[in-house]
Amino acid sequence: MSEVLQSGLHPDADELCAFVEHALPAGERERTLAHLSVCPECRAVVALSLPPVDEAARPSREPARGRWFSGWNLVWSTAVALSATILFTVYVYRAATISGAPAQVASSRPAPRAAAPAGPSGSRESSSANLQPISPSGQNSQERATAATPRSAASAQRQQSMEANAFMGQNLAVSAPPSAMEREALNSDNMLKTNDKATEAKKTASTAAFGVAGMEVLSETQAQTSLPPGSLPSDRKIVLGAANAPMAKAAAPLRAALPPPAAPGTGNETVALAGAAAPVIVSQEAAAAPAMAEEPALQPQRPEGRLPSRLPVVSMAAHERLALAIDTHNAVFVSNDAGKHWKAIRAPWTGRAVTAALISTANARAPASWTMQTRTAGGLFSGETPPAGNANGSLSGMVTDATGAVIPGASVVVVHSTSRAARAVKTDSGGRFVVSGLAPGAYDVRAAAPGFRPAQLAGVTVAAAAESVANLSLSIAASTQTVTVTTAPPAEPMDSLSATAKPSAQALPGGEIPVLFEITTDSGEHWTSGDGLKWTRK
Amino acid sequence: MAARKRQPGRPAPRLRLIRSSVARRRGCSILSVVDTASSKPADIVLSMASGQTLTADVNPARQFLALPPKLLQELWRTAEAESCGLALEDFGPILASVGEKLNCGLALGTHPNDNQRAAFLRTLHLPDLALAHACALGREVAWERFLRLYRASLTRAAVAITGSATLGQELADSVYAELFGLRTRDGQRASPLASYTGRGSLMGWLRATLAQRSVDHHRRTHRETALEDFDAPAPAPAEACEATDRLTEALRRTFRSLSAEDRYLLSAYFLDRQTLLQIARILGVHEATISRRLKRLLADLRKRLLGNLQSGGLSKRAAEEALGADPRDIEINLRALLQSSQTGPFSDQAAGAAAASESL
């Protein structure tokens, strides 16, 4: 061992190491320094045992480098806060633009069934899946708010125009949120296809069976008709369904005379309808007006296009391509293209517009709860001429309840007025139904749903290669009344067989829009307008 | 304390002086005996003033430190001694010997109380201490860990010290062999790791050991050149001799009056040519502080030298003249003067310092 390491002569490695790392107590340090000052070897050892400069200097450099920005943890929190703000903004924006009212679908309410489904129809309806006779619940129906608009649209173009149809089909204050409307349009497409298949099936089926089934069902329903007098407005014309009984009976022997669907154009009805140049507006008075006057205004509706104010719609009325909407700020907008583009109108009234509704000029005093409109091709909408070659017409419509909510799964039976040939369909989830491949003529449309009173719409005219619209509204089965509304062409007799249907009181001049928009303000004023632009106080 | 005569057949243990002042006052010196190989406490030898030597079996762990079990447990956990293969009962004596050796960092002669003891033991580099002593005890786990942690840095440090890769590798290997205990002393393997007390880091200790071995090696291989410094100065002219002697005497007195740190500063800066940065790092102050202190020190030195010369019988003018003489004309071995200003082995200095601190 060298003398450097000899104990007693020089400090050992432990002491020198502690000295270099400044870990010595003061007394010992002094001693070591005194030795170092006289011992060159130990000074050399101390100098050599210094840690390398880069090791010693490293810790002091690193914080200096990162000093100018040390807030990386702040960046994360800032990013989180920023994204949360963006998400919140998007959420608020969407909440403001989406209508507050969810799709309203009337659920079938439990109702006492007074009678079992009548008619031995089980064996007879097996020929067609779509053939379902109405199962009357023994309660009478009160009928209101249907409108039939035969539109001359080619069946090939039907699918393209279905969306517009879905909008225009509810030209009388039928409330349905846009999602329901779109769904409905899609469902209509599907239904169209299934109905086409059904038409094929129907061709092979016996039309007599249909006629018998429909006749019997209808007869039985009508036999049970009774009318509580207090529940109907006195100024309405009510035609009891009993009037249909002889018609149905009369139709029975005539069903053999019904032209086959594959050969349209040969029957009387088709000729009569196709030849009807003047529009046949059949208006009938229906009940349930009090309910309609209040409730539709509360149903927010959404047009296809968004309102310029981007606010939810409080009330909307539409007629053909003309639409009127009131948003939550009581601003009134009018659209000429079925809701695609909106224009704000300057309000001549003093208060705030609350309700938009349609009223008929024939019945201008009461807010509209009507109805049914039947127009033939070449009438109001001369542009929609039926293309030649497709002689069969179709009938579509919507079944709603008193509040305007759609009723899915309702049974709809279409019975030819003369031949009593019947076809039964069910409404889809959007409450719509389509019966295609109908021979031109007048039809009775019946709708029934569990929990609702059945309703009937008589005398809906189906023209060749055109689509008629029949909207039915069912009221809740609370009373036992039924109202049968019959329609008949006012200008000229369409068919000898439809003569049982009484003509409407008002015969409107051809070419004039028979409906008016009406705005009700919060101060109770009523303003009407034909085009949504010029308003007159009522 | 059961004292008995030292048995002649026992191997001569390595001696370490403790409590010398107390012993001196009683006319004897107490030497604690620590077996460096096993780092276990051995005997205490009392060398009486009469020349009689008494040896006593003492267990420092029992005598010096009856460490509270809780504290021992805590220190043992902190040191991660278990992972080095040291049991609790192994670690206690190690702590005891370290505390005894360093007197818990207190001045010699004072008796540490329990709190001071605990505070001192907590300041140690306990994991390093456990590792070093476990290696000294030959625990395999500890050696594996030591190799993993220190082998590479040991070589790096050796290369840095020697300034050459081959020499550094050689040095590192020899030190490693020494640490492993290949050298035997009196038939027992002795590892220098047992002398590590944990005051500094183990890496610092290794570096100091490497530096010591390097300097030792250099001294042995360059003995001839090193001896030049100790050559007697050439005979001076007779007329200059008196003035030189006076100046030398004044210088010696001046150097002696300086503090240890100042003398170290002068030696390191002027004799060893160390840089200001090196000195600053050794002393733990800033470079600029060293620079300022040197400047002040030189001015002070001149003033004191003048005072000493004047007190030696020279007038102020003559003293200034003597200082203003060309240093090349004066044959004074300043190195020898500065180095020999305080002589004696390190242990004597320690004893003197301890006596001084006790007299305060």
Side-chain angles (χ1 to χ4, degrees), chain B residues 126-139:
Chain B
L126 286 170
D128 287 355
L129 182 70
L131 180 64
H133 282 265
C135 287
L137 290 174
R139 303 287 151 88

Side-chain angles (χ1 to χ4, degrees), chain B residues 90-104:
Chain B
D90 294 333
F91 197 53
I94 292 168
L95 287 177
S97 66
V98 166
E100 175 80 4
K101 183 174 159 186
L102 303 175
N103 198 23
C104 292

Side-chain angles (χ1 to χ4, degrees), chain A residues 1-5 7-25 28-41 43-53 55-56, chain B residues 14-16 105 161 178 183 185 195-201 204-205 207-209 211-216 219 260-261 263-264 267-268 271-272 274 278 281-284 338-339 341-342 345-347 349-350 353:
Chain A
M1 178 152 285
S2 69
E3 50 182 30
V4 174
L5 284 176
S7 170
L9 276 179
H10 298 276
D12 60 3
D14 185 58
E15 201 149 10
L16 288 181
C17 151
F19 172 75
V20 167
E21 296 183 5
H22 315 295
L24 284 181
E28 216 169 332
R29 181 171 183 273
E30 197 68 21
R31 219 156 21 112
T32 312
L33 269 177
H35 174 77
L36 287 177
S37 64
V38 298
C39 176
E41 285 84 12
R43 279 204 306 273
V45 167
V46 165
L48 286 175
S49 62
L50 276 176
V53 182
E55 269 181 35
Chain B
R14 181 173 170 176
L15 303 183
R16 190 172 290 278
I161 284 171
E178 188 188 341
R183 280 188 191 177
R185 177 185 293 206
S195 68
Y196 174 66
T197 60
R199 280 185 295 184
S201 65
W205 184 87
R207 235 184 258 121
T209 309
Q212 274 187 333
R213 298 298 179 278
S214 173
V215 167
D216 193 25
R219 241 185 65 138
E261 195 164 325
R263 269 186 286 130
Y264 173 74
S267 307
L271 301 185
D272 295 350
Q274 285 180 8
Q278 270 178 317
R281 284 176 64 200
I282 288 169
L283 294 181
L338 190 55
Q339 305 284 29
S341 56
Q342 192 170 17
F346 187 65
S347 54
Q349 294 172 29

Side-chain angles (χ1 to χ4, degrees), chain B residues 301-315:
Chain B
L301 201 58
R302 186 186 168 86
K303 210 186 287 174
R304 287 192 196 197
L305 203 52
L306 276 178
N308 275 331
L309 283 174
Q310 281 172 337
S311 67
L314 280 182
S315 67

Side-chain angles (χ1 to χ4, degrees), chain B residues 16-208:
Chain B
R16 190 172 290 278
L17 183 76
I18 58 159
R19 297 191 189 167
S20 56
S21 54
V22 184
R24 198 174 294 158
R25 208 185 301 159
R26 293 183 186 164
C28 67
S29 51
I30 304 173
L31 305 169
S32 81
V33 182
V34 176
D35 188 289
T36 48
S38 64
S39 84
K40 276 180 184 163
D43 300 344
I44 280 190
V45 180
L46 291 177
S47 124
M48 307 300 288
S50 59
Q52 192 188 6
T53 310
L54 292 174
T55 311
D57 271 339
V58 167
N59 184 359
R62 193 165 4 100
Q63 187 213 24
F64 166 71
L65 279 176
L67 276 180
K70 225 183 222 174
L71 177 68
L72 184 59
Q73 191 90 16
E74 176 206 325
L75 296 173
W76 184 67
R77 281 221 192 88
T78 316
E80 299 160 5
E82 198 174 14
S83 60
C84 301
L86 277 185
L88 195 61
E89 47 270 21
D90 294 333
F91 197 53
I94 292 168
L95 287 177
S97 66
V98 166
E100 175 80 4
K101 183 174 159 186
L102 303 175
N103 198 23
C104 292
L106 300 175
L108 288 169
T110 51
H111 293 281
N113 59 25
D114 283 351
N115 286 340
Q116 285 169 325
R117 226 176 274 160
F120 168 73
L121 291 176
R122 284 200 185 99
T123 60
L124 296 180
H125 291 72
L126 286 170
D128 287 355
L129 182 70
L131 180 64
H133 282 265
C135 287
L137 290 174
R139 303 287 151 88
E140 281 300 321
V141 202
W143 273 111
E144 280 168 20
R145 192 168 170 186
F146 181 83
L147 283 181
R148 200 174 60 242
L149 290 176
Y150 292 109
R151 185 71 199 256
S153 26
L154 193 72
T155 314
R156 264 205 309 276
V159 169
I161 284 171
T162 55
S164 139
T166 44
L167 281 179
Q169 190 69 46
E170 205 176 301
L171 177 66
D173 285 346
S174 73
V175 166
Y176 180 69
E178 188 188 341
L179 293 179
F180 196 62
L182 292 185
R183 280 188 191 177
T184 54
R185 177 185 293 206
D186 303 325
Q188 280 185 319
R189 270 180 16 168
S191 171
L193 278 169
S195 68
Y196 174 66
T197 60
R199 280 185 295 184
S201 65
L202 186 55
M203 192 59 227
W205 184 87
L206 288 172
R207 235 184 258 121

Side-chain angles (χ1 to χ4, degrees), chain A residues 459-478:
Chain A
V460 179
T461 311
V462 175
E467 187 179 352
S468 302
V469 177
N471 290 336
L472 290 102
S473 176
L474 305 184
S475 59
I476 298 163

